[in-house]
Amino acid sequence: MAQVQPYRPQYKQLPLTRRFWRAIRQYWPLYVMLIPGMLFFLVYKYAPMYGIQIAFKNYSLKKGISGSPWLTETGKPLLYWFQRFFKTPQSRQIISNTLVLSLSKLLVGMLPPLIFALAISECSFKRYSRVIQTVSYLPHFLSWVIIYGICATMLGETSGVINNLFKKLGWNTVPFLNSSKYIRGVLVGSSLWQSIGWSSIVYLAAIAGIDTSMYEAATIDGCGRFRQIWYITLPNLGRIFVVLLITKVGNILDGGFNQVYVFMNDRVRASAEIIDTWVYTQGLGKAQYSLTTAVGLMKSVLSCGLVLGTNALARKWDSSLW
């Protein structure tokens, strides 16, 4: 006679705490691997958020964060530093520069990595494609100081390669690095050159994960390579493209501090200065800690809203992050 098995509740019917500890015991190696990443975010991302209160205080370096009085205690509104930022003469200009540069980099920098990845994946000479991949990755590992040196060698007004060519052709030299008219194009172009190879890695990985039987079936049906790219490759890359777009939209208020700070000079400041460079010069140069903290907090809140909004729109096409 068969033995009656004791009743065991389903996993989802167990209490939450019991389910938690069961998952810990079952998958403990994975949770141990998460510890370094969690510590990184805890120490370098969440712990510094204690200083956010500086944006609502009349901060004094001598008194410290906890000892500095709140703005309401000094007779000022709690959002005084936010209001002061928008009243500064440079606020409209630096916000405009940040949006123009970021949107230009976003629009120019989204399709080229995808096209480059498609070209690499369709190349029949694999050894040649691997060499091209390696060469395209190299600029990602160069600092912006080195990239600026390369740009100065190529675009310098007095001794640059391109301007020397213009002189030989009898044309006027162009101040690419010292003119507000051209500096934004230089920033966008150098950013694309630096990131195109590295950004294509995600697309190449996604292309490698596409089921090859789909291409085989398309070949049997008489589809050429361009039709296979249009009807198979691109639809499978659509979700990856949207996810990358969401992450880039979240950084739209950054503008690329390292690049802009290295390329900027007094001649192009009116067209190149962004929020982050202004915060750096005002915060460290003029000790305006409360003002710059308020600007940084405002930028973070707006960036979070942009990510949430873009993700909500992407959810309609079933391509959201969450």
Side-chain angles (χ1 to χ4, degrees):
M1 185 175 179
Q3 294 182 352
V4 178
Q5 296 294 332
Y7 171 73
R8 295 180 179 178
Q10 297 294 327
Y11 180 76
K12 292 184 178 180
Q13 297 175 352
L14 295 175
L16 182 61
T17 55
R18 191 172 176 184
R19 278 187 286 165
F20 173 76
W21 290 112
R22 174 178 287 189
I24 292 292
R25 289 194 300 269
Q26 185 175 1
Y27 302 107
W28 68 266
L30 300 179
Y31 288 105
V32 170
M33 294 172 64
L34 281 175
I35 291 176
M38 295 174 65
L39 288 176
F40 171 81
F41 280 96
L42 182 64
V43 173
Y44 294 102
K45 301 297 181 179
Y46 289 99
M49 291 178 68
Y50 172 74
I52 288 177
Q53 57 185 302
I54 296 176
F56 307 98
K57 287 188 172 186
N58 191 12
Y59 177 71
S60 172
L61 192 61
K62 184 182 296 184
K63 296 179 181 179
I65 297 177
S66 58
S68 299
W70 294 93
L71 288 171
T72 52
E73 298 176 5
T74 60
K76 298 177 181 178
L78 197 61
L79 300 179
Y80 169 77
W81 296 115
F82 298 90
Q83 297 172 355
R84 182 173 172 180
F85 168 69
F86 286 105
K87 291 180 181 179
T88 56
Q90 304 91 345
S91 60
R92 290 186 179 181
Q93 186 64 46
I94 61 177
I95 292 174
S96 175
N97 292 341
T98 303
L99 293 177
V100 169
L101 281 174
S102 297
L103 289 174
S104 299
K105 291 179 182 179
L106 178 64
L107 295 175
V108 174
M110 285 301 296
L111 286 179
L114 174 60
I115 297 172
F116 181 75
L118 290 173
I120 291 294
S121 64
E122 294 296 326
C123 182
S124 57
F125 300 99
K126 297 303 179 184
R127 182 177 298 179
Y128 175 75
S129 64
R130 284 193 290 267
V131 172
I132 295 298
Q133 280 183 266
T134 304
V135 173
S136 66
Y137 296 161
L138 290 178
H140 174 77
F141 301 99
L142 299 178
S143 69
W144 281 111
V145 177
I146 297 175
I147 294 177
Y148 176 79
I150 297 173
C151 291
T153 303
M154 299 297 297
L155 304 175
E157 186 175 3
T158 57
S159 60
V161 174
I162 294 178
N163 275 311
N164 284 335
L165 179 60
F166 287 170
K167 291 177 183 178
K168 292 181 179 180
L169 294 174
W171 300 348
N172 296 326
T173 58
V174 180
F176 292 105
L177 301 176
N178 297 312
S179 173
S180 298
K181 182 179 179 181
Y182 302 103
I183 189 61
R184 289 178 178 174
V186 173
L187 291 173
V188 173
S190 59
S191 177
L192 177 62
W193 175 74
Q194 188 256 0
S195 62
I196 185 171
W198 188 258
S199 300
S200 66
I201 293 178
V202 178
Y203 293 116
L204 288 170
I207 292 172
I210 299 175
D211 189 359
T212 56
S213 62
M214 300 174 66
Y215 292 104
E216 294 172 358
T219 303
I220 294 174
D221 291 339
C223 288
R225 296 305 302 174
F226 286 103
R227 285 183 174 271
Q228 292 179 25
I229 292 172
W230 184 259
Y231 291 106
I232 298 176
T233 307
L234 290 179
N236 280 279
L237 296 179
R239 181 178 176 83
I240 300 297
F241 183 85
V242 173
V243 169
L244 292 177
L245 178 62
I246 294 173
T247 57
K248 288 182 178 295
V249 168
N251 297 322
I252 204 170
L253 294 177
D254 289 342
F257 169 78
N258 294 331
Q259 179 196 22
V260 175
Y261 187 77
V262 170
F263 277 75
M264 191 170 59
N265 55 62
D266 291 337
R267 295 183 180 180
V268 300
R269 186 176 297 275
S271 298
E273 187 165 35
I274 59 175
I275 295 176
D276 285 349
T277 56
W278 185 86
V279 166
Y280 177 80
T281 54
Q282 294 293 319
L284 295 182
K286 299 182 180 180
Q288 297 288 332
Y289 301 114
S290 295
L291 175 61
T292 52
T293 302
V295 175
L297 176 59
M298 178 191 66
K299 194 186 75 168
S300 300
V301 172
L302 291 176
S303 297
C304 181
L306 288 172
V307 171
L308 294 176
T310 310
N311 188 76
L313 290 175
R315 194 179 294 119
K316 296 182 178 180
W317 292 277
D318 194 26
S319 300
S320 60
L321 285 175
W322 63 87

Short mmCIF file of all heavy atoms in Angstrom, two decimals, residues 87-147:
data_model
loop_
_atom_site.label_atom_id
_atom_site.label_comp_id
_atom_site.label_asym_id
_atom_site.label_seq_id
_atom_site.Cartn_x
_atom_site.Cartn_y
_atom_site.Cartn_z
N LYS A 87 18.31 82.84 -10.83
CA LYS A 87 18.46 84.29 -10.93
C LYS A 87 19.85 84.71 -11.38
O LYS A 87 20.07 85.89 -11.69
CB LYS A 87 18.13 84.95 -9.59
CG LYS A 87 16.66 84.87 -9.20
CD LYS A 87 16.40 85.53 -7.86
CE LYS A 87 14.93 85.44 -7.47
NZ LYS A 87 14.67 86.06 -6.15
N THR A 88 20.79 83.77 -11.40
CA THR A 88 22.14 84.11 -11.85
C THR A 88 22.13 84.38 -13.36
O THR A 88 21.38 83.73 -14.11
CB THR A 88 23.12 82.97 -11.55
OG1 THR A 88 22.64 81.76 -12.15
CG2 THR A 88 23.27 82.76 -10.05
N PRO A 89 22.96 85.30 -13.83
CA PRO A 89 22.96 85.63 -15.26
C PRO A 89 23.33 84.46 -16.16
O PRO A 89 22.90 84.39 -17.31
CB PRO A 89 24.00 86.76 -15.37
CG PRO A 89 24.12 87.31 -13.99
CD PRO A 89 23.88 86.16 -13.07
N GLN A 90 24.15 83.52 -15.66
CA GLN A 90 24.64 82.42 -16.50
C GLN A 90 23.69 81.23 -16.56
O GLN A 90 23.93 80.30 -17.33
CB GLN A 90 26.00 81.93 -16.01
CG GLN A 90 27.07 83.00 -15.92
CD GLN A 90 27.11 83.64 -14.55
OE1 GLN A 90 26.17 83.50 -13.76
NE2 GLN A 90 28.18 84.36 -14.27
N SER A 91 22.64 81.20 -15.74
CA SER A 91 21.83 79.99 -15.61
C SER A 91 21.19 79.58 -16.94
O SER A 91 21.26 78.41 -17.34
CB SER A 91 20.74 80.20 -14.55
OG SER A 91 19.89 81.28 -14.91
N ARG A 92 20.58 80.52 -17.65
CA ARG A 92 19.95 80.16 -18.92
C ARG A 92 20.96 79.67 -19.95
O ARG A 92 20.70 78.71 -20.68
CB ARG A 92 19.19 81.37 -19.48
CG ARG A 92 17.94 81.75 -18.69
CD ARG A 92 17.19 82.87 -19.39
NE ARG A 92 15.98 83.22 -18.67
CZ ARG A 92 15.11 84.16 -19.06
NH1 ARG A 92 15.35 84.81 -20.21
NH2 ARG A 92 14.05 84.42 -18.35
N GLN A 93 22.12 80.31 -19.96
CA GLN A 93 23.14 79.94 -20.95
C GLN A 93 23.69 78.55 -20.70
O GLN A 93 23.81 77.74 -21.62
CB GLN A 93 24.27 80.96 -20.92
CG GLN A 93 25.31 80.74 -22.03
CD GLN A 93 24.73 80.93 -23.41
OE1 GLN A 93 24.01 81.91 -23.66
NE2 GLN A 93 25.03 80.02 -24.32
N ILE A 94 24.01 78.24 -19.44
CA ILE A 94 24.61 76.93 -19.15
C ILE A 94 23.57 75.81 -19.29
O ILE A 94 23.91 74.70 -19.71
CB ILE A 94 25.27 76.90 -17.76
CG1 ILE A 94 24.25 77.16 -16.66
CG2 ILE A 94 26.41 77.89 -17.70
CD1 ILE A 94 24.84 77.07 -15.26
N ILE A 95 22.32 76.09 -18.97
CA ILE A 95 21.27 75.08 -19.18
C ILE A 95 21.09 74.83 -20.67
O ILE A 95 20.96 73.68 -21.12
CB ILE A 95 19.95 75.53 -18.52
CG1 ILE A 95 20.08 75.53 -17.00
CG2 ILE A 95 18.81 74.60 -18.95
CD1 ILE A 95 18.87 76.09 -16.28
N SER A 96 21.08 75.91 -21.44
CA SER A 96 20.94 75.76 -22.90
C SER A 96 22.12 74.99 -23.48
O SER A 96 21.93 74.09 -24.31
CB SER A 96 20.84 77.15 -23.53
OG SER A 96 20.84 77.06 -24.94
N ASN A 97 23.35 75.33 -23.06
CA ASN A 97 24.53 74.62 -23.56
C ASN A 97 24.47 73.14 -23.21
O ASN A 97 24.80 72.28 -24.04
CB ASN A 97 25.79 75.23 -22.97
CG ASN A 97 26.06 76.63 -23.48
OD1 ASN A 97 25.53 77.05 -24.50
ND2 ASN A 97 26.88 77.37 -22.76
N THR A 98 24.05 72.83 -21.98
CA THR A 98 23.97 71.44 -21.55
C THR A 98 22.99 70.65 -22.40
O THR A 98 23.29 69.54 -22.86
CB THR A 98 23.57 71.36 -20.07
OG1 THR A 98 24.49 72.10 -19.28
CG2 THR A 98 23.56 69.91 -19.59
N LEU A 99 21.81 71.21 -22.62
CA LEU A 99 20.78 70.50 -23.39
C LEU A 99 21.19 70.34 -24.85
O LEU A 99 21.00 69.28 -25.45
CB LEU A 99 19.45 71.25 -23.29
CG LEU A 99 18.79 71.26 -21.91
CD1 LEU A 99 17.52 72.10 -21.92
CD2 LEU A 99 18.48 69.84 -21.45
N VAL A 100 21.75 71.41 -25.42
CA VAL A 100 22.15 71.33 -26.84
C VAL A 100 23.24 70.30 -27.04
O VAL A 100 23.17 69.46 -27.96
CB VAL A 100 22.61 72.72 -27.33
CG1 VAL A 100 23.27 72.60 -28.71
CG2 VAL A 100 21.44 73.68 -27.40
N LEU A 101 24.28 70.31 -26.18
CA LEU A 101 25.37 69.35 -26.32
C LEU A 101 24.89 67.93 -26.08
O LEU A 101 25.23 67.00 -26.82
CB LEU A 101 26.49 69.70 -25.35
CG LEU A 101 27.43 70.83 -25.76
CD1 LEU A 101 28.41 71.16 -24.64
CD2 LEU A 101 28.20 70.46 -27.02
N SER A 102 24.09 67.73 -25.03
CA SER A 102 23.64 66.38 -24.69
C SER A 102 22.72 65.82 -25.76
O SER A 102 22.85 64.66 -26.16
CB SER A 102 22.94 66.39 -23.33
OG SER A 102 23.82 66.77 -22.30
N LEU A 103 21.78 66.63 -26.23
CA LEU A 103 20.86 66.16 -27.28
C LEU A 103 21.61 65.90 -28.58
O LEU A 103 21.29 64.94 -29.30
CB LEU A 103 19.75 67.18 -27.49
CG LEU A 103 18.72 67.31 -26.36
CD1 LEU A 103 17.75 68.44 -26.63
CD2 LEU A 103 17.96 66.00 -26.19
N SER A 104 22.60 66.74 -28.88
CA SER A 104 23.39 66.50 -30.10
C SER A 104 24.16 65.20 -30.01
O SER A 104 24.20 64.41 -30.96
CB SER A 104 24.35 67.67 -30.32
OG SER A 104 23.65 68.89 -30.49
N LYS A 105 24.78 64.95 -28.85
CA LYS A 105 25.50 63.69 -28.67
C LYS A 105 24.56 62.50 -28.72
O LYS A 105 24.90 61.43 -29.25
CB LYS A 105 26.24 63.71 -27.33
CG LYS A 105 27.41 64.68 -27.28
CD LYS A 105 28.07 64.65 -25.92
CE LYS A 105 29.22 65.64 -25.84
NZ LYS A 105 29.87 65.64 -24.50
N LEU A 106 23.36 62.68 -28.16
CA LEU A 106 22.38 61.59 -28.16
C LEU A 106 21.92 61.27 -29.58
O LEU A 106 21.88 60.10 -29.98
CB LEU A 106 21.19 61.99 -27.29
CG LEU A 106 20.04 60.98 -27.20
CD1 LEU A 106 20.51 59.69 -26.54
CD2 LEU A 106 18.87 61.57 -26.43
N LEU A 107 21.56 62.30 -30.34
CA LEU A 107 21.06 62.07 -31.70
C LEU A 107 22.14 61.55 -32.63
O LEU A 107 21.89 60.65 -33.45
CB LEU A 107 20.47 63.38 -32.25
CG LEU A 107 19.23 63.92 -31.52
CD1 LEU A 107 18.82 65.27 -32.09
CD2 LEU A 107 18.07 62.93 -31.62
N VAL A 108 23.34 62.12 -32.51
CA VAL A 108 24.43 61.70 -33.40
C VAL A 108 25.02 60.36 -32.97
O VAL A 108 25.50 59.59 -33.82
CB VAL A 108 25.54 62.80 -33.41
CG1 VAL A 108 26.75 62.34 -34.20
CG2 VAL A 108 24.99 64.09 -34.00
N GLY A 109 24.96 60.05 -31.68
CA GLY A 109 25.67 58.88 -31.18
C GLY A 109 24.87 57.61 -31.07
O GLY A 109 25.42 56.58 -30.65
N MET A 110 23.57 57.61 -31.42
CA MET A 110 22.77 56.39 -31.26
C MET A 110 22.88 55.45 -32.46
O MET A 110 23.08 54.25 -32.30
CB MET A 110 21.31 56.77 -31.01
CG MET A 110 21.03 57.28 -29.62
SD MET A 110 21.45 56.11 -28.30
CE MET A 110 20.33 54.76 -28.64
N LEU A 111 22.74 55.97 -33.67
CA LEU A 111 22.72 55.10 -34.86
C LEU A 111 24.10 54.62 -35.30
O LEU A 111 24.22 53.45 -35.71
CB LEU A 111 22.02 55.81 -36.01
CG LEU A 111 20.50 55.91 -35.90
CD1 LEU A 111 19.92 56.65 -37.10
CD2 LEU A 111 19.88 54.53 -35.78
N PRO A 112 25.17 55.45 -35.27
CA PRO A 112 26.48 54.95 -35.74
C PRO A 112 26.97 53.68 -35.07
O PRO A 112 27.47 52.78 -35.78
CB PRO A 112 27.41 56.14 -35.48
CG PRO A 112 26.53 57.32 -35.61
CD PRO A 112 25.22 56.91 -35.03
N PRO A 113 26.87 53.50 -33.73
CA PRO A 113 27.29 52.21 -33.16
C PRO A 113 26.49 51.03 -33.68
O PRO A 113 27.04 49.94 -33.88
CB PRO A 113 27.07 52.41 -31.65
CG PRO A 113 27.13 53.87 -31.44
CD PRO A 113 26.53 54.47 -32.67
N LEU A 114 25.19 51.24 -33.91
CA LEU A 114 24.36 50.17 -34.46
C LEU A 114 24.79 49.82 -35.88
O LEU A 114 24.94 48.63 -36.23
CB LEU A 114 22.89 50.60 -34.44
CG LEU A 114 21.88 49.66 -35.12
CD1 LEU A 114 21.91 48.29 -34.47
CD2 LEU A 114 20.48 50.28 -35.07
N ILE A 115 25.01 50.84 -36.70
CA ILE A 115 25.45 50.60 -38.08
C ILE A 115 26.83 49.95 -38.10
O ILE A 115 27.10 49.03 -38.90
CB ILE A 115 25.45 51.93 -38.87
CG1 ILE A 115 24.04 52.49 -38.96
CG2 ILE A 115 26.04 51.74 -40.25
CD1 ILE A 115 23.95 53.88 -39.54
N PHE A 116 27.72 50.42 -37.22
CA PHE A 116 29.06 49.84 -37.14
C PHE A 116 29.01 48.38 -36.73
O PHE A 116 29.72 47.53 -37.28
CB PHE A 116 29.90 50.64 -36.14
CG PHE A 116 31.31 50.17 -35.99
CD1 PHE A 116 32.26 50.43 -36.97
CD2 PHE A 116 31.70 49.46 -34.87
CE1 PHE A 116 33.56 49.98 -36.84
CE2 PHE A 116 33.00 49.01 -34.72
CZ PHE A 116 33.93 49.27 -35.71
N ALA A 117 28.14 48.05 -35.76
CA ALA A 117 28.00 46.66 -35.32
C ALA A 117 27.46 45.78 -36.45
O ALA A 117 27.90 44.64 -36.63
CB ALA A 117 27.09 46.58 -34.10
N LEU A 118 26.50 46.30 -37.21
CA LEU A 118 25.97 45.54 -38.35
C LEU A 118 27.05 45.30 -39.40
O LEU A 118 27.15 44.20 -39.96
CB LEU A 118 24.79 46.28 -38.96
CG LEU A 118 23.50 46.36 -38.14
CD1 LEU A 118 22.49 47.27 -38.81
CD2 LEU A 118 22.92 44.96 -37.94
N ALA A 119 27.87 46.31 -39.65
CA ALA A 119 28.95 46.16 -40.64
C ALA A 119 29.97 45.12 -40.19
O ALA A 119 30.44 44.30 -41.00
CB ALA A 119 29.63 47.51 -40.88
N ILE A 120 30.30 45.15 -38.91
CA ILE A 120 31.27 44.18 -38.38
C ILE A 120 30.70 42.76 -38.45
O ILE A 120 31.40 41.80 -38.84
CB ILE A 120 31.65 44.53 -36.93
CG1 ILE A 120 32.47 45.82 -36.89
CG2 ILE A 120 32.43 43.39 -36.28
CD1 ILE A 120 33.82 45.74 -37.54
N SER A 121 29.45 42.60 -38.07
CA SER A 121 28.86 41.26 -38.05
C SER A 121 28.67 40.69 -39.46
O SER A 121 28.69 39.46 -39.64
CB SER A 121 27.51 41.30 -37.33
OG SER A 121 26.58 42.10 -38.05
N GLU A 122 28.49 41.56 -40.45
CA GLU A 122 28.27 41.09 -41.81
C GLU A 122 29.57 40.92 -42.60
O GLU A 122 29.54 40.44 -43.73
CB GLU A 122 27.36 42.07 -42.57
CG GLU A 122 25.95 42.14 -42.02
CD GLU A 122 25.21 40.83 -42.15
OE1 GLU A 122 25.45 40.11 -43.14
OE2 GLU A 122 24.41 40.52 -41.27
N CYS A 123 30.69 41.33 -42.00
CA CYS A 123 31.97 41.21 -42.69
C CYS A 123 32.35 39.73 -42.82
O CYS A 123 32.37 39.00 -41.84
CB CYS A 123 33.05 41.98 -41.93
SG CYS A 123 34.67 41.95 -42.73
N SER A 124 32.66 39.31 -44.03
CA SER A 124 33.00 37.90 -44.26
C SER A 124 34.44 37.58 -43.89
O SER A 124 34.78 36.43 -43.64
CB SER A 124 32.74 37.55 -45.73
OG SER A 124 33.49 38.39 -46.59
N PHE A 125 35.30 38.60 -43.83
CA PHE A 125 36.70 38.39 -43.44
C PHE A 125 36.82 38.61 -41.93
O PHE A 125 36.97 39.74 -41.47
CB PHE A 125 37.62 39.35 -44.20
CG PHE A 125 37.56 39.19 -45.69
CD1 PHE A 125 36.80 40.06 -46.46
CD2 PHE A 125 38.25 38.16 -46.33
CE1 PHE A 125 36.74 39.91 -47.83
CE2 PHE A 125 38.19 38.01 -47.70
CZ PHE A 125 37.43 38.89 -48.46
N LYS A 126 36.69 37.54 -41.15
CA LYS A 126 36.63 37.64 -39.70
C LYS A 126 37.91 38.20 -39.10
O LYS A 126 37.87 38.92 -38.10
CB LYS A 126 36.32 36.26 -39.10
CG LYS A 126 34.95 35.73 -39.52
CD LYS A 126 33.84 36.70 -39.15
CE LYS A 126 32.47 36.21 -39.59
NZ LYS A 126 31.40 37.20 -39.31
N ARG A 127 39.06 37.86 -39.68
CA ARG A 127 40.30 38.39 -39.15
C ARG A 127 40.35 39.90 -39.31
O ARG A 127 40.76 40.63 -38.41
CB ARG A 127 41.50 37.75 -39.85
CG ARG A 127 42.85 38.19 -39.32
CD ARG A 127 43.98 37.47 -40.01
NE ARG A 127 43.91 36.02 -39.76
CZ ARG A 127 44.77 35.15 -40.27
NH1 ARG A 127 45.75 35.57 -41.09
NH2 ARG A 127 44.65 33.86 -40.01
N TYR A 128 39.90 40.39 -40.46
CA TYR A 128 39.86 41.84 -40.70
C TYR A 128 38.87 42.52 -39.75
O TYR A 128 39.16 43.60 -39.21
CB TYR A 128 39.47 42.09 -42.15
CG TYR A 128 39.28 43.53 -42.50
CD1 TYR A 128 40.36 44.38 -42.67
CD2 TYR A 128 37.99 44.06 -42.68
CE1 TYR A 128 40.19 45.73 -43.00
CE2 TYR A 128 37.81 45.39 -43.00
CZ TYR A 128 38.91 46.22 -43.16
OH TYR A 128 38.73 47.53 -43.47
N SER A 129 37.72 41.90 -39.54
CA SER A 129 36.71 42.50 -38.65
C SER A 129 37.21 42.56 -37.22
O SER A 129 36.92 43.52 -36.49
CB SER A 129 35.41 41.70 -38.72
OG SER A 129 35.59 40.39 -38.22
N ARG A 130 37.98 41.55 -36.77
CA ARG A 130 38.51 41.57 -35.41
C ARG A 130 39.53 42.69 -35.24
O ARG A 130 39.60 43.32 -34.18
CB ARG A 130 39.12 40.21 -35.06
CG ARG A 130 38.09 39.12 -34.77
CD ARG A 130 38.75 37.91 -34.13
NE ARG A 130 39.60 37.21 -35.08
CZ ARG A 130 39.20 36.18 -35.83
NH1 ARG A 130 37.93 35.77 -35.74
NH2 ARG A 130 40.02 35.57 -36.65
N VAL A 131 40.33 42.93 -36.26
CA VAL A 131 41.30 44.03 -36.20
C VAL A 131 40.58 45.37 -36.11
O VAL A 131 40.94 46.23 -35.30
CB VAL A 131 42.23 43.99 -37.43
CG1 VAL A 131 43.11 45.24 -37.47
CG2 VAL A 131 43.10 42.74 -37.41
N ILE A 132 39.54 45.54 -36.93
CA ILE A 132 38.76 46.77 -36.91
C ILE A 132 38.10 46.97 -35.54
O ILE A 132 38.08 48.08 -34.99
CB ILE A 132 37.70 46.77 -38.01
CG1 ILE A 132 38.37 46.76 -39.39
CG2 ILE A 132 36.78 47.98 -37.88
CD1 ILE A 132 39.22 47.97 -39.67
N GLN A 133 37.58 45.89 -34.96
CA GLN A 133 36.97 45.98 -33.64
C GLN A 133 37.98 46.46 -32.60
O GLN A 133 37.70 47.35 -31.80
CB GLN A 133 36.43 44.61 -33.22
CG GLN A 133 35.08 44.27 -33.83
CD GLN A 133 34.58 42.93 -33.32
OE1 GLN A 133 34.79 41.90 -33.95
NE2 GLN A 133 33.95 42.94 -32.19
N THR A 134 39.16 45.85 -32.61
CA THR A 134 40.19 46.21 -31.63
C THR A 134 40.60 47.67 -31.76
O THR A 134 40.72 48.39 -30.77
CB THR A 134 41.41 45.30 -31.79
OG1 THR A 134 41.01 43.93 -31.69
CG2 THR A 134 42.46 45.61 -30.73
N VAL A 135 40.79 48.11 -32.99
CA VAL A 135 41.19 49.51 -33.22
C VAL A 135 40.09 50.47 -32.78
O VAL A 135 40.36 51.53 -32.21
CB VAL A 135 41.53 49.72 -34.71
CG1 VAL A 135 41.80 51.20 -35.00
CG2 VAL A 135 42.76 48.90 -35.09
N SER A 136 38.84 50.10 -33.02
CA SER A 136 37.73 50.99 -32.66
C SER A 136 37.52 51.06 -31.15
O SER A 136 36.98 52.05 -30.64
CB SER A 136 36.43 50.51 -33.33
OG SER A 136 36.04 49.24 -32.82
N TYR A 137 37.96 50.03 -30.41
CA TYR A 137 37.81 50.05 -28.95
C TYR A 137 38.84 50.96 -28.27
O TYR A 137 38.60 51.47 -27.18
CB TYR A 137 37.97 48.65 -28.36
CG TYR A 137 36.93 47.64 -28.78
CD1 TYR A 137 37.16 46.28 -28.65
CD2 TYR A 137 35.71 48.05 -29.34
CE1 TYR A 137 36.21 45.35 -29.04
CE2 TYR A 137 34.76 47.13 -29.74
CZ TYR A 137 35.02 45.77 -29.59
OH TYR A 137 34.08 44.86 -29.98
N LEU A 138 39.98 51.13 -28.89
CA LEU A 138 41.10 51.81 -28.24
C LEU A 138 40.77 53.22 -27.74
O LEU A 138 41.17 53.58 -26.63
CB LEU A 138 42.30 51.85 -29.19
CG LEU A 138 43.00 50.50 -29.45
CD1 LEU A 138 44.15 50.68 -30.44
CD2 LEU A 138 43.51 49.89 -28.15
N PRO A 139 40.07 54.08 -28.51
CA PRO A 139 39.81 55.43 -28.01
C PRO A 139 39.04 55.46 -26.70
O PRO A 139 39.16 56.43 -25.94
CB PRO A 139 38.99 56.07 -29.14
CG PRO A 139 39.39 55.32 -30.37
CD PRO A 139 39.62 53.92 -29.91
N HIS A 140 38.26 54.42 -26.42
CA HIS A 140 37.49 54.40 -25.17
C HIS A 140 38.41 54.41 -23.95
O HIS A 140 38.03 54.94 -22.89
CB HIS A 140 36.60 53.15 -25.13
CG HIS A 140 35.88 52.96 -23.84
ND1 HIS A 140 34.76 53.69 -23.50
CD2 HIS A 140 36.13 52.14 -22.78
CE1 HIS A 140 34.34 53.32 -22.31
NE2 HIS A 140 35.15 52.38 -21.84
N PHE A 141 39.60 53.86 -24.09
CA PHE A 141 40.53 53.75 -22.95
C PHE A 141 41.49 54.94 -22.87
O PHE A 141 42.37 54.96 -22.01
CB PHE A 141 41.33 52.45 -23.06
CG PHE A 141 40.45 51.22 -23.06
CD1 PHE A 141 40.12 50.59 -24.25
CD2 PHE A 141 39.95 50.71 -21.88
CE1 PHE A 141 39.31 49.47 -24.26
CE2 PHE A 141 39.14 49.58 -21.87
CZ PHE A 141 38.83 48.96 -23.06
N LEU A 142 41.35 55.91 -23.76
CA LEU A 142 42.18 57.11 -23.72
C LEU A 142 41.51 58.17 -22.86
O LEU A 142 40.30 58.35 -22.91
CB LEU A 142 42.41 57.65 -25.13
CG LEU A 142 43.12 56.73 -26.13
CD1 LEU A 142 43.20 57.41 -27.48
CD2 LEU A 142 44.49 56.33 -25.64
N SER A 143 42.30 58.89 -22.08
CA SER A 143 41.75 60.00 -21.31
C SER A 143 41.44 61.16 -22.24
O SER A 143 41.99 61.26 -23.34
CB SER A 143 42.75 60.44 -20.23
OG SER A 143 43.88 61.05 -20.83
N TRP A 144 40.58 62.07 -21.77
CA TRP A 144 40.21 63.20 -22.61
C TRP A 144 41.38 64.16 -22.80
O TRP A 144 41.39 64.94 -23.76
CB TRP A 144 39.01 63.93 -22.00
CG TRP A 144 37.73 63.23 -22.30
CD1 TRP A 144 36.93 62.57 -21.42
CD2 TRP A 144 37.10 63.10 -23.58
NE1 TRP A 144 35.83 62.03 -22.06
CE2 TRP A 144 35.92 62.36 -23.39
CE3 TRP A 144 37.42 63.54 -24.85
CZ2 TRP A 144 35.06 62.04 -24.44
CZ3 TRP A 144 36.57 63.23 -25.90
CH2 TRP A 144 35.41 62.50 -25.69
N VAL A 145 42.35 64.12 -21.93
CA VAL A 145 43.55 64.94 -22.12
C VAL A 145 44.30 64.49 -23.36
O VAL A 145 44.74 65.30 -24.19
CB VAL A 145 44.45 64.87 -20.88
CG1 VAL A 145 45.74 65.67 -21.11
CG2 VAL A 145 43.72 65.40 -19.66
N ILE A 146 44.44 63.18 -23.52
CA ILE A 146 45.12 62.63 -24.71
C ILE A 146 44.30 62.91 -25.96
O ILE A 146 44.85 63.27 -27.01
CB ILE A 146 45.37 61.13 -24.52
CG1 ILE A 146 46.31 60.88 -23.33
CG2 ILE A 146 45.95 60.51 -25.79
CD1 ILE A 146 46.52 59.43 -23.01
N ILE A 147 42.98 62.74 -25.86
CA ILE A 147 42.12 62.99 -27.02
C ILE A 147 42.19 64.46 -27.42
O ILE A 147 42.19 64.79 -28.62
CB ILE A 147 40.67 62.57 -26.71
CG1 ILE A 147 40.61 61.04 -26.51
CG2 ILE A 147 39.73 62.99 -27.84
CD1 ILE A 147 39.25 60.53 -26.14
#
